[in-house]
Amino acid sequence: VRAQLARELTELRAVEVRDMASVLRRLATLEASAADFRVLGMPVEQQRRRTYQVLKWVGLQHRLNALPAELSGGEQQRVAIARALVNEPHLVLADEPTGNLDPGNASVVLEHIAEFVRDGGAALMVTHDAQADHLATRIVALDRGRLLAPAAAQ
């Protein structure tokens, strides 16, 4: 199985976006988190260092070889956050980033997003999680699909 996954990883450059999710479901945490780097052609050692750093940041350094089916919903959510942050984007779009997390892990993820923003990144987050309010510089609320007047950030 691992040999087949290694072959698939070498073919990631040719994978269409709609097929990427099916590939990621068969990769271990470390491999899935480094997939974007492989597509970009980053040297393997540099991929591993950066990927390990980000997975440690979200508390998953002990789950590097776990497949998605072996991870809890919260762990899968944190892998998704790691994948979003691993190649240091300028903007992160986060749709319910704490939706499957317990309050402790939700706080950790929100703090990582806040740190990303403090370091110069931008984040657009859609959430029902009230503990995210204190991180926002601007809050816009919707009610039954209607935009309410923007609220002041707290």
Side-chain angles (χ1 to χ4, degrees), residues 54-128:
V54 174
L55 288 170
K56 183 176 180 183
W57 198 42
V58 296
L60 290 175
Q61 69 276 13
H62 63 290
R63 304 290 277 153
L64 300 178
N65 296 313
L67 295 170
E70 300 166 340
L71 298 173
S72 70
E75 288 172 328
Q76 290 177 21
Q77 188 80 358
R78 287 185 285 155
V79 169
I81 296 292
R83 284 201 68 238
L85 298 175
V86 75
N87 65 1
E88 300 174 301
H90 296 288
L91 172 66
V92 169
L93 303 175
D95 182 7
E96 294 290 355
T98 60
N100 293 323
L101 302 179
D102 61 77
N105 281 320
S107 292
V108 169
V109 166
L110 289 172
E111 182 52 39
H112 291 316
I113 293 171
E115 186 174 335
F116 166 75
V117 171
R118 282 192 300 272
D119 289 344
L124 174 64
M125 185 175 0
V126 177
T127 185
H128 291 92

Side-chain angles (χ1 to χ4, degrees), residues 13-63:
R13 292 176 201 254
V15 173
E16 291 183 35
V17 173
R18 71 176 188 274
D19 295 331
M20 189 60 145
S22 67
V23 171
L24 292 174
R25 280 193 293 273
R26 295 177 288 170
L27 299 179
T29 301
L30 182 65
E31 295 163 328
S33 298
D36 293 339
F37 287 145
R38 292 177 190 222
V39 171
L40 297 172
M42 180 183 281
V44 173
E45 190 52 42
Q46 191 177 352
Q47 290 175 29
R48 288 185 190 278
R49 259 193 321 274
R50 175 65 183 152
T51 304
Y52 179 81
Q53 176 188 31
V54 174
L55 288 170
K56 183 176 180 183
W57 198 42
V58 296
L60 290 175
Q61 69 276 13
H62 63 290
R63 304 290 277 153

